[in-house]
Amino acid sequence: MTVPLATICAHIRATLPDCTPASVAAHFALSRFHLSRRFHRETGLPLRDYIAALKIEHGIAALVAQKPVIDSQLDAGHESAATYSHTFRAATGIAPARYRDKIAAYSATLSAELACPQPRTFSYHGYAPQQHPQPRALTVRLRGGEARHVVFAGLFPAPIPRGVPVLGRALFHCREFRIDAVPDGTYYLLACEIPKSRNPLHYFRLDYCLRALHPAPVTFPLPAATTIDLALRPFAPSDPPITVNLPKLLYDFLRPVSYTHLTL
C-alpha cells in the first residue's frame, strides 16, 4: 500500500529538526532512493532541499521571540554556528542576528502598509528592467483571499523560494500585475497572502498563509502574450517552505534611501 504524500509530509514536520531523508524512509520502510524519486515526482521538490528549508523555517520562531541565535540554531538542528548562519542567510536573505534585531522595524512597516486602503503595488527587481524588456508580457491575476490583505508574489529560479526573488511584487488592495521586463530564463511563480496581525510571527512564519503555486515553470521569452490565473488556497503540508523575509523586501523599498534595484 502506497503511503499518502500528506502522511509523509506530516511525519517530516512532526519530527523536525531531527529528520533526514534516511530517517523518513526508514520510518515508512521505504527505500531512500525510491522515496526521494517519488517525492520529487509528486511535488517537484528535492526531498533533501524540502527538509533543509523546513528546518530553517522551524528556527525562525526563536528569532521572532527575541531569543539568542543559538536557540534558533538548535531549533533548526544545526550543530555549527557558521554553517547555520550561512544557510539561514541563503534561505531568508539576511543573517539570523540581524533578522532578530530588525523584527520590530519590519513588522511595523508591514502593519502600517496593511492599514492603508489605497490600492498599490510595490516591485522588487534584482536587475535593471530597462535592460531586459520582453517582447510578450505575462499578466498574473490572483483569485481568492481578501483584498485587505497583502499578496507577495515572485518569480524564483527554483521551486523552493530562497534568498530574494528575481522579480517580486507586493500587492495591496489589488490582485493583478504585469511582467514585461525580466531576464530570459525559466522561473517558478509563487504567491502568498499575509493578513494584518498583532503577532509578529505571522509575518515571518508563513506556514499558515493562503498561497498559490503555478504548477509549471514559466519560461521567458513567452511564445505569446499570456495570462495566468493563480488561485490562493489553504496551505498544504507538501508546499515548499517560504523562508524569504518578505517584510524585509518591503521595508528596504520604503526606507528613505535610494536603491537602484528597487522600483515602484
Side-chain angles (χ1 to χ4, degrees):
M1 180 177 177
T2 301
V3 181
L5 183 64
T7 301
I8 294 173
C9 292
H11 171 76
I12 291 172
R13 290 177 176 274
T15 55
L16 290 171
D18 299 321
C19 67
T20 65
S23 69
V24 176
H27 177 81
F28 292 105
L30 298 171
S31 156
R32 176 181 169 182
F33 175 74
H34 171 78
L35 175 62
S36 296
R37 284 189 58 186
R38 179 192 164 198
F39 193 89
H40 192 277
R41 181 177 68 251
E42 295 187 19
T43 68
L45 310 173
L47 177 59
R48 178 175 293 279
D49 291 353
Y50 171 79
I51 293 175
L54 279 179
K55 290 181 178 181
I56 294 296
E57 181 184 68
H58 200 60
I60 287 175
L63 299 177
V64 174
Q66 298 298 299
K67 294 181 180 180
V69 172
I70 184 64
D71 289 4
S72 174
Q73 174 191 324
L74 295 176
D75 285 351
H78 280 251
E79 295 182 0
S80 165
T83 300
Y84 181 58
S85 181
H86 174 79
T87 304
F88 189 94
R89 186 177 189 124
T92 67
I94 185 172
R98 183 163 178 79
Y99 192 110
R100 179 197 59 202
D101 295 344
K102 299 295 289 186
I103 288 292
Y106 296 159
S107 297
T109 297
L110 182 52
S111 291
E113 290 302 319
L114 281 164
C116 175
Q118 178 184 356
R120 62 216 184 278
T121 299
F122 299 117
S123 178
Y124 169 87
H125 299 96
Y127 55 89
Q130 65 273 15
Q131 295 180 6
H132 300 280
Q134 285 294 327
R136 293 165 289 276
L138 172 67
T139 300
V140 180
R141 298 186 301 206
L142 280 300
R143 306 297 189 194
E146 296 188 30
R148 61 193 177 92
H149 299 164
V150 61
V151 171
F152 287 96
L155 294 177
F156 292 87
I160 295 181
R162 296 186 182 90
V164 295
V166 174
L167 178 149
R169 295 282 193 272
L171 296 90
F172 293 86
H173 297 280
C174 57
R175 288 295 185 269
E176 182 173 317
F177 63 95
R178 176 184 170 95
I179 300 172
D180 55 13
V182 68
D184 291 350
T186 298
Y187 306 102
Y188 294 83
L189 177 60
L190 300 94
C192 70
E193 181 187 74
I194 302 179
K196 187 172 183 178
S197 174
R198 293 183 178 180
N199 184 349
L201 184 60
H202 293 164
Y203 291 164
F204 301 94
R205 275 283 301 268
L206 306 178
D207 50 352
Y208 75 98
C209 294
L210 295 181
R211 64 210 28 230
L213 313 172
H214 190 55
V218 180
T219 299
F220 292 89
L222 298 168
T226 303
T227 297
I228 290 177
D229 288 314
L230 281 180
L232 291 163
R233 44 85 174 161
F235 163 80
S238 60
D239 284 341
I242 301 175
T243 57
V244 176
N245 193 322
L246 299 175
K248 176 186 183 301
L249 292 181
L250 181 65
Y251 175 86
D252 285 347
F253 180 92
L254 295 171
R255 277 191 299 174
V257 180
S258 175
Y259 283 84
T260 57
H261 66 292
L262 293 173
T263 59
L264 179 64

